[in-house]
Amino acid sequence: MSFWDHVEELRGTLFRSVLAVCLLSVGFLCIPKTLFKAVLWPTQGDFFLYKLLGWNFGMELINVEVSAQFFMHLKVSVLCGLVLAFPYIIWEIWKFIAPALYQNEKKAVKKAFTLSSGLFYLGVAVGYCIVLPVCLLFFMNYTVSDAIANTITLGSYMSLFVSMVFLIGLLFEFPSVILVLSTLGIVNRNQLKGLRKYAAVVVLILSALITPSDPFSMFVLALPLYGLYEFSILLCKK
């Protein structure tokens, strides 16, 4: 194929991926009550983790801007559309790059792309079910004075929600990237083993950037992230 043929193929890949996200986003726009019931569930006392661990927790959100709820509904719908369309986007990317791979590379790279969807949803689940509620519990119970009440805005909660859920999902893609690099001969198992102590530092830095930087929530996120690094070592062929 010529350069412009490749550009045309890429344009088609991007168009179909964006179309899938848009269609799913429209679907979420049509069910605002159901959508936000799930998004706001970690703020409620009946969230499964609080009930499981016997934690007494609940918080109320306020809105201080006229148009905030509309635009928040739009943003959350697009985000959820992107999350739900992730496997399809991965499949489109795979179709685009597969013809450029040698036969011995296709099997491993296809495995990495298949693994990436599962890891992404695992990361989303870890962020939503564990890291986000733990962070909420810590900060809502932390106070420098009894005279100061914690009044949380919808925008503040959603900012934390996105970083805890979507970004953690993306970070969980690390083993898939390592599997591809290992297949291409760029990294190997011994190299990753030798970088363990540096990986631990990087994991702590990433955890500090994603979480609100308190030691407890950093530790909660750092554990699974470092576990992914060790899992990546196991995925390397040699």
Side-chain angles (χ1 to χ4, degrees):
M1 295 176 64
S2 68
F3 172 77
W4 293 111
D5 289 332
H6 283 296
V7 172
E8 184 64 22
E9 283 293 322
L10 179 59
R11 186 191 68 82
T13 297
L14 294 175
F15 175 77
R16 290 188 295 272
S17 299
V18 172
L19 180 61
V21 173
C22 290
L23 290 175
L24 290 171
S25 300
V26 170
F28 284 115
L29 281 170
C30 297
I31 52 170
K33 301 295 184 183
T34 303
L35 174 62
F36 274 86
K37 183 178 181 180
V39 170
L40 300 178
W41 192 24
T43 68
Q44 306 300 310
D46 63 348
F47 188 68
F48 79 95
L49 184 66
Y50 306 144
K51 296 176 68 175
L52 180 66
L53 299 179
W55 293 345
N56 183 21
F57 176 75
M59 58 183 290
E60 293 184 0
L61 301 178
I62 64 170
N63 178 46
V64 295
E65 298 180 14
V66 174
S67 59
Q69 294 200 46
F70 170 77
F71 285 108
M72 196 59 65
H73 181 200
L74 189 62
K75 291 177 183 177
V76 172
S77 297
V78 173
L79 177 64
C80 291
L82 181 60
V83 169
L84 202 59
F86 189 82
Y88 177 75
I89 296 173
I90 289 294
W91 181 66
E92 284 287 351
I93 296 174
W94 163 251
K95 284 200 308 176
F96 178 74
I97 69 169
L101 300 174
Y102 291 107
Q103 195 61 37
N104 62 325
E105 297 171 340
K106 284 186 178 181
K107 185 176 181 181
V109 175
K110 185 177 181 180
K111 180 181 177 182
F113 272 73
T114 303
L115 179 66
S116 66
S117 294
L119 288 174
F120 176 74
Y121 286 123
L122 177 61
V124 168
V126 169
Y128 179 81
C129 299
I130 301 176
V131 182
L132 176 63
V134 167
C135 288
L136 290 176
L137 183 70
F138 176 83
F139 284 108
M140 288 303 294
N141 288 321
Y142 184 88
T143 178
V144 295
S145 172
D146 293 336
I148 303 175
N150 285 324
T151 305
I152 312 301
T153 65
L154 176 63
S156 176
Y157 170 76
M158 289 310 305
S159 176
L160 185 65
F161 180 89
V162 171
S163 63
M164 292 295 100
V165 177
F166 187 68
L167 292 183
I168 292 176
L170 292 179
L171 284 177
F172 267 60
E173 294 297 294
F174 181 75
S176 301
V177 176
I178 292 298
L179 180 57
V180 172
L181 295 179
S182 174
T183 302
L184 298 178
I186 298 175
V187 299
N188 58 56
R189 186 173 296 175
N190 289 332
Q191 285 177 330
L192 294 179
K193 286 182 178 179
L195 295 173
R196 274 187 171 126
K197 57 183 179 181
Y198 301 105
V201 175
V202 172
V203 163
L204 290 175
I205 293 174
L206 287 174
S207 300
L209 292 174
I210 294 175
T211 63
S213 298
D214 68 284
F216 186 64
S217 57
M218 282 176 57
F219 181 74
V220 169
L221 178 58
L223 280 180
L225 289 184
Y226 185 77
L228 287 176
Y229 186 83
E230 293 295 333
F231 179 59
S232 300
I233 295 176
L234 296 177
L235 289 178
C236 290
K237 291 185 177 182
K238 57 184 179 178

